[in-house]
Amino acid sequence: MTVRTPPLTPYPLRVLLGRIAREWETRRRIFDLPTGRFYSHDPAHDLSFEMGGRRPSNPIGPAAGPHTQLAQNFVIGWLAGARVFEAKTVQILDELEIDRPCIDMEAEGYNIEWSQELTLDQSLEEYVKAWMMLEILSHWEPLEPIIGPPGEHVFDLSVGYDLDGIRTERMDRFIRQMMDASEVIDRLRPQIPPPFERFRDHDFDPHIGRSVTLSTFHGCPPDEIEGITRHLIDTYGLDVIVKLNPTLLGFEEVDRLLHDVLGYRDVPLDRHAFDADLSFDRALRLIPTLSEYAAARGRRFGIKLSNTLVVGNHRNKMPGDVMYLSGRPLHVITVSLLDRLTAALGDLLATGADPGPVQVSFSAGIEASNVADAAGLGLRPITVSSDLLKPGGYGHLSAMLKRLDQAMTEVAATTLEQWVAHQEAEARRSGHRDAVSAYAAQVTGPEGVAHYGADAVRRRLRHVDHTLELWGCVSCNLCVTVCPNDAMLYLPTPDTLADELSDRWQYLCLAELCNDCGNCATFCPEDGAPFEVKPRLYIDPDRFATATGPAFFIGRDGDSLAAVPGPGMQPELSRLLEVVSGPQGLPLRPEDLTPIGHVHRPEHR
Ligand SMILES: Cc1cc2nc3c(=O)[nH]c(=O)nc-3n(C[C@H](O)[C@H](O)[C@H](O)COP(=O)(O)O)c2cc1C
Ligand code: SF4
Ligand code: SF4
């Protein structure tokens, strides 16, 4: 795979909202998510909880990562049921070059991303656009019969990685504008296009961020964690959650679980990374200290278990010496860490039927099969990254919520508190200290190994012996569902091309939304990377001017969609136009696009 690192170029709010209206009208989908994957809240259950002074209507959502970077990602997650969004981590170094590919989700998950690739100003605008779109869709009549009353949602900020960086004027401005986004909202209002124009004067709540998760990097000293937490509480009055690393469990125990119990024997651990990180004993002093500090100032402190685990790069699928492990093995490690912390901190943690003051947020290998167990421990919020990068993508969120609803229905629990009380009572009845220790025993025992162990997780992906081409393929749709940015889309092959193209669907890449993460290439059963081989559509003239590969500019000519071919693509132009202009063609409104007369072809540079 070639290593190209073009910047992500977010779509303007006008184009995104225009797409929602057009896609709904022509295909009854939004950002490729079919209505069958929209989540409709079961009114018999109250899944709400308190966070940052709001009451999100359920505790599930995407973790800081690729699903909380671009504005449309939040919309897809929200439609699938997410009500807590941990925004992609921002930091002062906001022009990072991230190596590609950066995601490897073939079995257990690995990545080499570590914070946003957008600038701070772009991230701010993406989060505000997302906030405005969710507010608009919450009041949009066509959705009402499908999702019902959606209830509240929460955006949790995520910042890293050192106090000096967080104190800079640019980071300060970012945090303050997330806490009061009035200026940005007013700047974006005129972009709201005609299908939604009644929302131009809508009373958007400008107070987007009321809580923050501090993502600590490996090696972050405890004093620094303490200093940043105090700074965020004192300066901004935010509730603070500290995201801890799984190294906290200690080298010997992680080594035993990962290698001996779960069978991931080839995954190299680095003892130095464990030595450099926060130790368990120090965490036992840090957590009560910061909880008291926050409480004395009327704020809440919490911990998040856990961040990814640093391991050696034994697969050489991504560049660099180290990578970060997530997914199923991390679930077992992190539950074991939770068990150890619960045993040591007793009533301090907000787990179980009699919750203490320290909120415990969870992200590690959450999926439909374990989300009810996690909710039954009192963990809130419960966020996900790896499972949403597997086939099915964002649709897994609605499946998780349905599983939680189902589990609660079976025991006649109508609130999360009742569900937690039921799980706690069951655990004690079976002789465990509490529900956390019962669950830890389950995931590290034979039942857990059968599900989370290497033998269960490392299955060969489907492969067909065919080289991927510009048009046509086995149409498995996997590239669409695994893309966190909805950068791959599919359109029906128009009848006019039926003699030339035998496949029913054609797949295309929205180039500005693709960051070459490589995830679609992992899952495509054909030989080739969808994001490189399929037609790459640009709507930004500057990005098109430097385009390579099978590139086309999509704009307008009068009231119609029009295209300009990139180098070598002239022979494919008429086919492309047929595909994008069909009745269920490209769901972008010509009036939101640039006239093609203004566009320079790459070969003319
Ligand atoms: C591709 C990718 C990017 C991530 N980026 C971030 C990030 O920017 N900040 C952060 O705190 N965690 C980040 N994470 C970690 C996730 O938020 C999450 O804590 C972790 O992946 C464990 O959850 P999972 O097993 O559901 O993936 C990232 C994870 C993945 C897979
Ligand atoms: S199209 Fe493929 S490479 Fe591009 S962002 Fe989506 S999954 Fe990643
Ligand atoms: S490009 Fe690959 S992943 Fe996408 S639909 Fe075609 S065969 Fe499936």
Side-chain angles (χ1 to χ4, degrees):
M1 189 183 296
T2 55
V3 177
R4 243 174 332 117
T5 55
L8 279 174
T9 310
Y11 275 13
L13 181 63
R14 185 186 66 255
V15 177
L16 293 175
L17 283 169
R19 171 170 171 181
I20 290 176
R22 174 58 54 91
E23 203 175 355
W24 187 255
E25 186 188 310
T26 57
R27 302 181 75 186
R28 279 285 178 278
R29 298 171 170 256
I30 294 179
F31 296 123
D32 285 302
L33 193 75
T35 49
R37 292 291 184 182
F38 290 14
Y39 174 68
S40 154
H41 173 60
D42 178 350
H45 294 152
D46 177 3
L47 305 181
S48 68
F49 72 108
E50 226 241 78
M51 184 164 171
R54 286 206 170 89
R55 225 177 149 81
S57 59
N58 74 56
I60 317 289
H67 303 94
T68 51
Q69 185 153 234
L70 293 177
Q72 73 271 14
N73 304 12
F74 289 72
V75 173
I76 314 171
W78 180 83
L79 289 167
R83 294 295 179 265
V84 181
F85 299 83
E86 191 196 354
K88 179 83 176 156
T89 307
V90 298
Q91 59 150 334
I92 189 62
L93 299 176
D94 64 348
E95 295 198 23
L96 284 177
E97 272 283 319
I98 295 185
D99 287 329
R100 313 288 163 175
C102 54
I103 298 179
D104 172 8
M105 286 289 149
E106 188 176 328
E108 69 272 22
Y110 297 104
N111 80 88
I112 53 168
E113 287 186 16
W114 51 296
S115 62
Q116 94 280 23
E117 17 187 319
L118 301 175
T119 63
L120 281 169
D121 285 343
Q122 284 178 314
S123 292
L124 173 71
E125 191 157 317
E126 286 311 284
Y127 302 154
V128 178
K129 280 156 61 181
W131 186 256
M132 291 172 75
M133 285 198 285
L134 297 197
E135 177 67 10
I136 291 172
L137 293 181
S138 302
H139 294 89
W140 197 44
E141 296 79 7
L143 284 183
E144 235 175 80
I146 302 168
I147 62 170
E152 274 196 88
H153 54 263
V154 159
F155 282 16
D156 183 40
L157 308 188
S158 172
V159 299
Y161 286 98
D162 62 22
L163 184 54
D164 285 347
I166 290 172
R167 272 194 175 138
T168 54
E169 189 264 327
R170 286 199 307 127
M171 278 294 286
D172 175 66
R173 203 173 58 230
F174 172 86
I175 297 171
R176 288 188 193 281
Q177 287 186 301
M178 282 299 289
M179 293 179 67
D180 182 352
S182 309
E183 225 179 274
V184 187
I185 291 172
D186 287 340
R187 178 162 54 74
L188 292 171
R189 280 179 197 279
Q191 280 198 33
I192 299 176
F196 296 99
E197 74 195 328
R198 75 179 173 88
F199 292 99
R200 278 199 194 150
D201 300 322
H202 186 80
D203 185 16
F204 292 98
D205 177 357
H207 306 295
I208 299 179
R210 295 180 177 186
S211 61
V212 60
T213 294
L214 166 65
S215 191
T216 61
F217 207 52
H218 283 284
C220 184
D223 292 348
E224 186 85 0
I225 297 175
E226 215 170 315
I228 300 172
T229 306
R230 288 173 199 260
H231 170 73
L232 293 169
I233 291 173
D234 293 344
T235 314
Y236 306 107
L238 290 164
D239 287 352
V240 180
I241 296 174
V242 173
K243 191 169 188 179
L244 297 168
N245 291 317
T247 44
L248 195 55
L249 190 56
F251 181 84
E252 274 71 27
E253 186 57 4
V254 172
D255 178 36
R256 187 183 75 83
L257 287 171
L258 187 66
H259 296 148
D260 304 339
V261 176
L262 297 172
Y264 296 90
R265 293 200 170 78
D266 54 345
V267 179
L269 291 175
D270 176 4
R271 191 182 278 273
H272 297 297
F274 286 73
D275 294 342
D277 265 358
L278 179 67
S279 71
F280 193 77
D281 288 344
R282 184 68 176 89
L284 294 190
R285 296 198 301 279
L286 188 77
I287 294 169
T289 305
L290 287 176
S291 176
E292 280 162 28
Y293 189 86
R297 284 150 189 84
R299 304 272 45 106
R300 188 168 188 204
F301 172 75
I303 55 173
K304 178 156 192 149
L305 303 175
S306 69
N307 218 328
T308 41
L309 174 69
V310 60
V311 299
N313 185 353
H314 61 291
R315 283 168 59 80
N316 292 321
K317 211 179 149 179
M318 299 182 291
D321 297 333
V322 296
M323 52 188 188
Y324 300 97
L325 171 85
S326 62
R328 285 197 193 168
L330 189 68
H331 187 76
V332 177
I333 292 169
T334 302
V335 168
S336 302
L337 172 60
L338 172 69
D339 184 33
R340 216 179 144 203
L341 281 171
T342 311
L345 288 170
D347 299 340
L348 198 62
L349 302 186
T351 47
D354 188 14
V358 176
Q359 179 177 5
V360 185
S361 163
F362 191 90
S363 71
I366 288 293
E367 53 184 36
S369 73
N370 59 28
V371 73
D373 290 311
L377 303 181
L379 305 170
R380 286 141 211 206
I382 298 167
T383 60
V384 196
S385 193
S386 298
D387 195 47
L388 307 187
L389 291 163
K390 303 269 188 181
Y394 289 93
H396 290 297
L397 288 166
S398 52
M400 287 177 205
L401 283 154
K402 282 178 194 149
R403 287 288 281 271
L404 177 57
D405 275 329
Q406 208 179 351
M408 288 173 61
T409 303
E410 278 165 18
V411 301
T414 59
T415 63
L416 280 180
E417 289 72 21
Q418 287 176 10
W419 172 238
V420 171
H422 172 271
Q423 294 295 87
E424 190 75 12
E426 283 290 298
R428 295 206 175 161
R429 237 192 313 275
S430 57
H432 290 278
R433 182 195 69 222
D434 53 23
V436 171
S437 71
Y439 188 56
Q442 182 189 323
V443 297
T444 53
E447 191 188 328
V449 174
H451 185 73
Y452 297 101
D455 289 347
V457 171
R458 292 178 171 175
R459 295 267 162 83
R460 270 176 72 88
L461 297 176
R462 182 179 163 218
H463 180 253
V464 293
D465 202 8
H466 185 261
T467 302
L468 196 63
E469 296 172 29
L470 188 70
W471 304 112
C473 60
V474 297
S475 300
C476 63
N477 215 35
L478 294 185
C479 54
V480 176
T481 64
V482 301
C483 177
N485 298 336
D486 190 36
M488 291 298 300
L489 92 167
Y490 68 103
L491 303 177
T493 308
D495 292 345
T496 46
L497 291 179
D499 292 343
E500 300 165 46
L501 304 176
S502 56
D503 298 287
R504 220 178 128 211
W505 304 103
Q506 300 303 327
Y507 288 79
L508 306 110
C509 179
L510 300 173
E512 287 99 352
L513 308 180
C514 170
N515 62 358
D516 295 9
C517 76
N519 204 34
C520 57
T522 298
F523 291 99
C524 180
E526 298 204 14
D527 294 322
F531 71 100
E532 290 182 327
V533 175
K534 294 297 177 187
R536 290 176 63 85
L537 310 186
Y538 290 82
I539 65 164
D540 181 301
D542 293 338
R543 285 292 307 276
F544 181 62
T546 59
T548 54
F552 297 87
F553 183 83
I554 297 286
R556 74 180 146 96
D557 187 5
D559 293 338
S560 308
L561 280 181
V564 179
M569 286 295 114
Q570 181 66 43
E572 303 294 341
L573 180 63
S574 62
R575 274 185 182 169
L576 181 95
L577 278 171
E578 291 272 350
V579 171
V580 298
S581 311
Q584 289 194 24
L586 190 68
L588 297 181
R589 302 181 333 141
E591 54 270 49
D592 297 328
L593 303 176
T594 307
I596 55 164
H598 299 185
V599 174
H600 300 288
R601 294 176 188 222
E603 61 248 28
H604 293 163
R605 275 187 304 137

